[in-house]
Amino acid sequence: MTRTDVIAHEPLLDDRHYHHTLSEFWTETHALLVFLRHFGSTFAYDQADVLNQASAELQAANIRPVMIGAGTPRAAAYFRRVSNTQVPVLADPTLTIYRRLGLRQVSLASTTPRVLRRWLSSNHTRISLADKNHGRQLGGSFLIDTTGTVLAERRSTRPSEVADIAAIHRYLAISRTRSESAEHPAVSDRRVPRASGQRVV
């Protein structure tokens, strides 16, 4: 499993140029970190649509989503406005967090026909916001509880891969199970008071 201490305190700028650290998103709630390819990717907009659709369910499950994109705060602002999302959007222009989490890059030679069709039909104003160094970047998603423990993680293996509704429902189920376990710990997890002079073996 991924160690969150390697990313917890890394400062990132949001779409309004405010600084954030990733750990603030899992201080009081579970966090769903969703990494986009880059802010010019048409699949990033697909991902925003999924999170917009699932916003009520995520809120009910006490999961706070945040999207992180390879790009600048300016590109993040454009992305957030056009995608019409209320999900926080952070920018990682140097790909520092991507590298620390082992998120992959894809060879342009391996791009599938589906990806090429989507690229040709996409809005090239959006694509122009992508830095040339971000074009090969792939995304991923990580569900993290309030202790900083990664409950589930998935790294994309192709450009079109996003955390779809089925994946969101899996994250919801994992989060609920973890929350119920925390509220009702097993007997072996409970601290049993020891009577004076009693030896516990």
Side-chain angles (χ1 to χ4, degrees), residues 105-118:
Q105 291 193 336
V106 66
S107 168
L108 295 180
S110 65
T111 302
T112 65
R114 176 173 180 253
V115 172
L116 288 174
R117 285 195 299 271
R118 288 296 302 278

Side-chain angles (χ1 to χ4, degrees), residues 176-194:
R176 290 191 188 103
T177 300
R178 183 57 177 249
S179 297
E180 290 168 1
S181 298
E183 292 174 5
H184 306 287
V187 172
S188 60
D189 293 335
R190 295 175 183 158
R191 292 186 177 181
V192 180
R194 182 171 56 179

Side-chain angles (χ1 to χ4, degrees):
M1 276 295 194
T2 298
R3 290 170 44 216
T4 55
D5 58 339
V6 300
I7 62 168
H9 304 296
E10 187 70 30
L12 294 177
L13 291 173
D14 67 13
D15 56 296
R16 295 183 298 169
H17 285 80
Y18 288 114
H19 277 97
H20 297 268
T21 56
L22 289 178
S23 60
E24 73 185 65
F25 292 95
W26 64 75
T27 300
E28 299 180 354
T29 65
H30 289 188
L32 180 58
L33 307 185
V34 179
F35 287 82
L36 311 171
R37 291 190 60 230
H38 54 75
F39 293 123
S41 171
T42 188
F43 300 110
Y45 289 85
D46 291 347
Q47 183 65 83
D49 288 342
V50 170
L51 292 179
N52 287 345
Q53 294 171 38
S55 61
E57 290 180 278
L58 289 166
Q59 184 176 3
N62 204 31
I63 298 176
R64 188 179 183 189
V66 56
M67 287 187 281
I68 300 140
T72 64
R74 173 179 170 270
Y78 180 90
F79 171 80
R80 187 172 188 182
R81 184 173 68 255
V82 174
S83 64
N84 193 30
T85 185
Q86 298 303 309
V87 175
V89 180
L90 305 181
D92 183 10
T94 62
L95 299 178
T96 299
I97 304 296
Y98 284 81
R99 293 192 183 99
R100 289 185 181 177
L101 290 176
L103 291 167
R104 304 177 178 95
Q105 291 193 336
V106 66
S107 168
L108 295 180
S110 65
T111 302
T112 65
R114 176 173 180 253
V115 172
L116 288 174
R117 285 195 299 271
R118 288 296 302 278
W119 184 84
L120 290 171
S121 64
S122 62
N123 184 324
H124 286 263
T125 301
R126 300 175 186 174
I127 292 174
S128 68
L129 291 172
D131 186 285
K132 62 182 180 180
N133 296 321
H134 299 156
R136 297 174 54 205
Q137 186 59 53
L138 295 177
S141 50
F142 300 80
L143 178 64
I144 303 173
D145 72 8
T146 54
T147 69
T149 301
V150 178
L151 303 180
E153 59 186 69
R154 183 171 185 176
R155 293 168 177 81
S156 300
T157 58
R158 58 186 186 278
S160 59
E161 188 175 333
V162 299
D164 58 16
I165 289 295
I168 297 296
H169 285 166
R170 286 194 294 273
Y171 288 142
L172 290 169
I174 292 168
S175 178
R176 290 191 188 103
T177 300
R178 183 57 177 249
S179 297
E180 290 168 1
S181 298
E183 292 174 5
H184 306 287
V187 172
S188 60
D189 293 335
R190 295 175 183 158
R191 292 186 177 181
V192 180
R194 182 171 56 179
S196 178
Q198 179 183 359
R199 182 185 178 197
V200 178
V201 294

